[in-house]
Amino acid sequence: MTEITRVPLQPIAKGSLPKLWLGVLAAVLAAAGVAWAALPAQVKVETLVAGSGVSPTIEDVALINYKGTLPDGKVFDQQQQAVFPLQGVVPGFTKALMQMQRGGKYKVLIPSELGYGAKQAGPIPPNTDLTFEIELIDFKSRAEIEQQQAMMQQMQQMQQQGGKGGPPQGMPPQGMPPGMPGGPPPQQ
């Protein structure tokens, strides 16, 4: 016959239940071969002033005001009306911008893994978490920007062909061909 040792059950102290569940979860993950470090780093975005409308996508280019600080509060970079393609910045900055709306102001915490990681980047030491204050002024798709650039180039070419401020060659001084609304009357 085997002897059973009995241990009296004690009530769980107030506030310790979440800790108990975290311990159980850690044990289950460890048994499954998953370490806590394997959980992906997350960007934290706090809304200071709510924006409106849709959020930018990975294909967009954002116009922002921002200030970046190190954990000690030292400003390492800041700009007004800066243009950022969402695909052209560190992953954490992209993830943060994709959670914002036009006109909104945000405080963003980017863990080093989603920033510059183990690399020194100018005044940013390796393995440094970054804090940003960001105002999303506007954003446009790359296609919209390319279309605007093409229109600007056409306008510049037309100005160059027409001389300094004059109408393009072949156009009357009023800017419209004869017989068209706003142009001179047709010649008889």
Side-chain angles (χ1 to χ4, degrees):
M1 183 178 228
T2 60
E3 188 174 308
I4 299 175
T5 305
R6 294 181 183 202
V7 177
L9 294 176
Q10 299 293 321
I12 296 175
K14 187 175 183 180
S16 63
L17 190 57
K19 293 176 188 172
L20 177 65
W21 279 111
L22 285 174
V24 169
L25 180 59
V28 169
L29 290 174
V34 177
W36 279 108
L39 297 175
Q42 295 292 316
V43 172
K44 293 182 178 89
V45 178
E46 176 186 345
T47 301
L48 303 176
V49 175
S52 62
V54 297
S55 298
T57 68
I58 193 76
E59 297 297 322
D60 293 332
V61 177
L63 178 65
I64 63 171
N65 295 332
Y66 74 93
K67 177 172 74 172
T69 56
L70 300 173
D72 65 2
K74 181 181 176 186
V75 176
F76 65 86
D77 191 15
Q78 74 182 63
Q79 278 189 302
Q80 297 292 307
Q81 298 189 353
V83 177
F84 281 97
L86 269 69
Q87 289 182 335
V89 294
V90 295
F93 210 87
T94 300
K95 289 175 186 274
L97 287 170
M98 290 173 64
Q99 296 179 47
M100 298 179 184
Q101 296 172 304
R102 281 184 183 95
K105 293 182 182 180
Y106 305 87
K107 181 176 182 180
V108 177
L109 262 57
I110 299 177
S112 65
E113 305 91 293
L114 295 175
Y116 294 98
K119 295 181 268 178
Q120 172 101 17
I124 303 170
N127 301 311
T128 301
D129 296 340
L130 305 173
T131 302
F132 286 91
E133 290 175 18
I134 302 172
E135 177 184 6
L136 179 59
I137 300 167
D138 197 7
F139 64 91
K140 295 184 185 270
S141 70
R142 287 180 189 263
E144 287 176 294
I145 291 172
E146 289 170 3
Q147 184 180 16
Q148 285 178 340
Q149 288 174 338
M151 287 175 52
M152 293 292 286
Q153 287 175 345
Q154 286 177 343
M155 289 174 59
Q156 287 174 349
Q157 287 174 351
M158 287 175 63
Q159 285 178 346
Q160 289 171 355
Q161 289 174 355
K164 295 183 181 172
Q169 291 178 345
M171 295 289 280
Q174 293 87 351
M176 295 299 292
M180 296 294 290
Q187 295 180 356
Q188 303 279 339

